[in-house]
Amino acid sequence: MSSGSGFGDEKGGSSSVGEPEYGHDPASGGIFSSDYKRHDDLKEMLDSNKDSLKLEAMKRIVAMIARGKNASDLFPAVVKNVACKNIEDPNQLIRASALRVLSSIRVTIIVPIMMLAIKEAASDMSPYVRKTAAHAIPKLYSLDPEQKDQLIEVIEKLLADKTTLVAGSVVMAFEEVCPERIDLIHKNYRKLCNLLIDVEEWGQVVIINMLTRYARTQFLNPNVNESLLEESGEKAFYGSDDEEGKEEKAEAAALAKRKPYVMDPDHRLLLRNTKPLLQSRNAAVVMAVAQLYFHLAPKAEVGVIAKALVRLMRSHSEVQYVVLQNVATMTIKRRGMFEPYLKSFYIRSTDPTQIKILKLEVLTNLANETNISTILREFQTYIKSMDKDFVAATIQAIGRCATNIGEVRDTCLNGLVQLLSNRDELVVAESVVVIKKLLQMQPEQHSDIIKHMAKLTDNIQVPMARASILWLIGEYCEHVPKIAPDVLRKMAKTFTNEEDIVKLQIINLAAKLYLTNSKQTKLLTQYVLNLAKYDQNYDIRDRARFIRQLIVPTDKSGALSKYAKKLFLALKPAPVLESPFKDRDHFQLGSLSHLLNAKAGGYQELPDWPETAPDPSVRNVEVPEWTKCSSREKRKEKKVEKPFYSDSEEESGPTESADSESDSASGSGSGSESEESGSGSESEESREESESEQEDKEDEEDKRKKKKKTDRGKVKAPAVESPERFFFIFSRFRFLILEVQRLASDSCSLRTSCRRWHKKLLHRITGEGLGVEYCFSRQPFSPDAHMVAVQIMFTNNTNAETKNLHVEDPKLQSGMRIKEFPEIELLPPGEMVTVVMGIDFCDSTQAANFQLCTHIRKFFVSIQPPVGELMMPVFMTENEFKKEQGQLMGMNEISEKLTLGEKCQNEHGIVQRVTSAANVSRVPCGSDKECRFAGKTVSSGILVLVTVATKEERAAQLTVNCEKMVIGTMLVKDILQALTQ
């Protein structure tokens, strides 16, 4: 191939493309005049279908670069040839590597090529290549943000991918490119929740963090009603005046009108599917789940994260640091969930200083009236440490404990005063600073301590401590009138040698003593002000001039001098010693912004809960047509149903006896049953029969039907008066009754089984093959009538025997009791066993926590009862019901209006839904418009009465009467949910 515009000389001589002349000067005008044409030839060669031309073009380009010529405009064509060949390689690893290299080239001119490659890779058959395409999306977006719209289309396509390998990567791309496009998540929300447990670990972290923010925009706050109940309960306990009684009634009325919180099933799906990940080996995954539960879960369920976080504290110091930062924030609002693990936060001598200080922060947050004595003893040990920063932090922690818990304030203050005699000057100095803050709360009771601290001015050299002592003496100089002037005299001698912070406090002390005891301190004050007037620091000079004008009246003094005493000796509020982690919870836990306590680049704010729930139907996914029943399957269903209602019953001749007819009827019934079971267990292979075979069968079926119709015209039915006709009808009627009873019993047993085993106590994955389910059997627990019977089913899914199954270490709330089941000595592989245990929940829905133990492992599990399972049925007459209801009016009655669901339009549906939500019995009622139920709590026997009054157009009113308002409110919520579904 040759070209006149190739690498020929500028004199018009032509040369072959394959024989370039390299002797031209790059600076000559002739070369520049033909550059564009030469590059056009090279582009044509690179776009050719012949590999030989492409290779020749690449050689020429390398030669140009070696001579120092600019070949940048050929870069897209070169990249296209190099990358495209590899992107189309049969090996998925090469295709992915080619895309990874291509997306890493930070040159805007190849953006179109990169976009095409990403789109092609997003449709690749290999999930690994699709994952690489998801990784390339943020790179392209950072290179050219104008490609956002096209990239969003690719993200939407990849979000619909059902493979776990792609899920984490595409969610990361979503977070980088278009986190505001929440509509892309709606249709994929449930899929992401279900795939979460199988996604690789770092993908799990990204998905969980994204779903946390998604849930905060799509679901209601699960703790709104609980906080309202707690506030009303506290006021009702302490209130005694008439005005408070009116407020209580108003709050109770508002609470009754407030719609009970019903958790969205998708909200529950997220919590349920992330909980097993608390057992993950990856600390980041555990931390992500913990922050999700902290920000999204109901208050009663957040406690499950405590043990997982404590487990992470056995890891490396870097992991400990991040975990303790988050635990310190959690303990401010949810202190109770970490109290059982108090000893896990005790400090070891080998801990780094930053870990020690964080553990100290957690211990201080967990301190209360119950454990303060233990914590203070621990603090006394820490003060002896050689780590001075840690000792100073311990002294500050003691001061915070004294501030927060008034009962130990004097004890802490006396302990800090004893530290003033410590040999270490830093310990003494920090103690002085903390004592100064504590004395501000009750200065009149501790004048002896102020005197003792005044004597320390000769020995303490730390500026902050000296300044604190001087401030105390000046602020409370009236309590030490004899010592204060002498302290000022000593300070005046050393004024010029003091630090600036000490000089400022000396000036303040002089001013306060001048105003309260001018006879003794007038000259000293003037001396100090004169020294300050010529100090090198301008702050001190300004302060001296300002104070002189205020306290020493002159003709030029302003109106402020009259109020000098009020200005200097005004009562000052005591300082509030707060945790530095108090305001960090507005950052999402586990984020870099939370760790730094400052908004980092790329941080996305955690949204506020919506006031009204958004439409949940946006997460519904339409069922594709290919998943629906085929016409062939529909025909099979019709064929299955026909034998029971077939015309074979009318085919019997008039000479057949009743017995034979009865037998034939039974036979046809059994035949239909066998045919049903056969169709139900039909294999996939039989569903895929060829069209020709199917057509033959259909032809035979048509012929058989035609023959039946012909025969039917020849058979005469028995006369109405004949005994054969009577027995004929009777046998068919009896058979129908038996079939209805069988179907009813099957559906009843199905409902019972669905209702009973409704909770997984231990998933077979987290239980390493041991699956545990439980249910509330609603049967009396014979060893103790005040306990709820809990039926537990163990399933051994492993190939090895499980031995010594038993309960250990129950952690129960106050008043709760547990009766363990007998130890299961052996559970063979593939076998299951059922046991019963009793739990006294003390009329509360708080969880009973304990350990399920085998011969090799221990699993922490939790059983939390619905409020309806805390009851047992009570049988009473209508008059007794009305009498008891009359005694439980006012505050003990909660009513809610509702619209009944489609399955609750009759009395039977209402009874079924109410009794499924609560273990109560039906009370006879003379009215068709009311359904009444009665029960009592298992633990304390408190009566619970339920009334459902139906009105027109599916409207109804639910009323619950109970002494305990909390139980009544929670029961209303559960029954309301059951009736409206």
Side-chain angles (χ1 to χ4, degrees), residues 355-383:
I355 300 296
K356 291 179 180 178
I357 293 175
L358 284 173
K359 284 186 175 181
L360 200 63
E361 178 68 28
V362 174
L363 287 174
T364 308
N365 292 341
L366 294 179
N368 56 31
E369 293 82 356
T370 306
N371 57 27
I372 186 62
S373 57
T374 306
I375 291 177
L376 286 179
R377 283 198 301 271
E378 195 73 14
F379 285 174
Q380 288 177 357
T381 307
Y382 300 160
I383 291 173

Side-chain angles (χ1 to χ4, degrees), residues 561-629:
S561 60
K562 300 178 182 178
Y563 306 100
K565 197 166 187 178
K566 292 183 178 180
L567 288 172
F568 282 98
L569 301 176
L571 291 176
K572 300 174 180 63
V576 179
L577 302 179
E578 294 180 340
S579 169
F581 291 86
K582 183 180 179 182
D583 297 326
R584 284 202 189 187
D585 58 342
H586 65 277
F587 290 116
Q588 186 173 353
L589 295 187
S591 63
L592 178 62
S593 298
H594 175 269
L595 191 72
L596 301 175
N597 197 23
K599 189 173 180 179
Y603 173 74
Q604 298 177 37
E605 295 285 349
L606 194 65
D608 294 328
W609 292 101
E611 295 183 1
T612 57
D615 183 13
S617 64
V618 296
R619 290 182 291 277
N620 295 338
V621 181
E622 295 181 2
V623 180
E625 289 296 328
W626 59 269
T627 62
K628 298 179 180 178
C629 293

Side-chain angles (χ1 to χ4, degrees), residues 137-310:
I137 290 174
K139 298 178 183 179
L140 178 55
Y141 178 70
S142 64
L143 182 62
D144 185 7
E146 294 182 359
Q147 304 294 324
K148 182 175 181 179
D149 293 338
Q150 295 186 58
L151 291 176
I152 289 176
E153 294 177 3
V154 180
I155 290 173
E156 186 174 8
K157 181 177 182 179
L158 289 175
L159 279 172
D161 200 305
K162 295 183 179 181
T163 57
T164 56
L165 197 63
V166 180
S169 301
V170 68
V171 170
M172 186 65 198
F174 169 83
E175 292 284 80
E176 292 286 337
V177 177
C178 53
E180 74 283 352
R181 287 291 303 275
I182 206 75
D183 57 295
L184 300 179
I185 304 298
H186 290 324
K187 299 293 184 184
N188 302 290
Y189 171 81
R190 293 169 187 165
K191 182 197 68 179
L192 289 173
C193 290
N194 291 322
L195 291 180
L196 189 58
I197 198 167
D198 296 319
V199 176
E200 45 91 20
E201 292 169 341
W202 296 110
Q204 289 174 344
V205 174
V206 174
I207 294 174
I208 290 172
N209 288 330
M210 183 275 292
L211 291 179
T212 302
R213 291 189 294 276
Y214 176 86
R216 286 291 288 258
T217 63
Q218 300 299 313
F219 306 130
L220 296 179
N221 185 356
N223 298 312
V224 171
N225 288 356
E226 288 187 12
S227 61
L228 185 61
L229 281 172
E230 289 175 2
E231 292 174 5
S232 62
E234 289 177 2
K235 291 180 181 178
F237 181 80
Y238 292 106
S240 58
D241 298 335
D242 294 338
E243 293 181 359
E244 292 179 354
K246 293 179 181 178
E247 292 178 0
E248 293 164 17
K249 291 180 180 178
E251 289 174 358
L255 186 63
K257 292 180 181 178
R258 188 182 185 92
K259 186 176 180 180
Y261 170 75
V262 179
M263 180 174 284
D264 191 295
D266 289 330
H267 191 172
R268 174 57 63 192
L269 175 70
L270 177 60
L271 295 176
R272 184 172 64 247
N273 287 11
T274 53
K275 188 175 180 181
L277 295 178
L278 289 172
Q279 308 296 328
S280 174
R281 63 182 179 180
N282 190 304
V285 175
V286 177
M287 192 65 246
V289 178
Q291 65 86 22
L292 181 140
Y293 262 74
F294 183 80
H295 291 304
L296 300 181
K299 194 174 181 180
E301 300 179 21
V302 180
V304 298
I305 67 175
K307 187 174 183 180
L309 292 176
V310 170

Side-chain angles (χ1 to χ4, degrees), residues 661-832:
E661 289 172 357
S662 176
D663 293 340
S664 66
S666 301
S668 66
S670 62
S672 73
E673 290 178 9
S674 63
E675 193 169 346
E676 285 179 3
S677 63
S679 67
S681 61
E682 187 175 292
S683 65
E684 293 294 330
E685 295 175 359
S686 64
R687 290 196 190 99
E688 297 175 356
E689 291 177 338
S690 64
E691 290 296 328
S692 60
E693 293 177 354
Q694 181 63 26
E695 290 175 0
D696 294 340
K697 289 184 178 181
E698 289 177 356
D699 292 340
E700 292 177 2
E701 183 70 17
D702 293 338
K703 292 178 182 179
R704 188 174 65 83
K705 288 181 179 179
K706 289 178 181 178
K707 186 176 183 302
K708 284 185 179 181
K709 291 180 180 179
T710 306
D711 295 340
R712 192 181 307 149
K714 300 177 182 179
V715 177
K716 295 182 180 179
V720 178
E721 295 81 10
S722 65
E724 290 85 2
R725 183 68 172 176
F726 174 79
F727 286 110
F728 178 85
I729 297 173
F730 176 77
S731 63
R732 296 300 186 268
F733 184 73
R734 184 183 67 175
F735 173 70
L736 286 173
I737 292 176
L738 292 173
E739 280 296 305
V740 170
Q741 288 178 346
R742 181 183 66 79
L743 292 173
S745 63
D746 290 347
S747 62
C748 182
S749 63
L750 181 62
R751 285 197 306 270
T752 304
S753 64
C754 291
R755 181 186 65 81
R756 290 184 62 192
W757 302 108
H758 66 293
K759 296 279 187 180
K760 282 195 179 297
L761 194 60
L762 185 65
H763 194 274
R764 61 185 177 85
I765 296 177
T766 56
E768 298 180 357
L770 178 64
V772 186
E773 297 181 358
Y774 75 93
C775 72
F776 299 92
S777 63
R778 295 192 173 183
Q779 299 295 325
F781 187 66
S782 54
D784 191 336
H786 296 287
M787 288 187 172
V788 176
V790 182
Q791 199 168 358
I792 302 178
M793 182 171 67
F794 296 90
T795 305
N796 187 356
N797 298 297
T798 65
N799 296 324
E801 295 179 342
T802 302
K803 302 177 182 178
N804 304 333
L805 278 165
H806 62 283
V807 172
E808 278 186 9
D809 194 21
K811 297 185 184 301
L812 308 174
Q813 299 294 331
S814 177
M816 292 173 60
R817 297 178 296 125
I818 190 171
K819 178 70 175 177
E820 297 116 7
F821 58 84
E823 181 175 333
I824 302 172
E825 296 182 356
L826 180 66
L827 183 59
E831 296 291 328
M832 63 177 62

Side-chain angles (χ1 to χ4, degrees), residues 15 52 106 220 550 552 769:
S15 62
S52 59
R106 316 303 293 164
L220 296 179
L550 276 179
V552 183

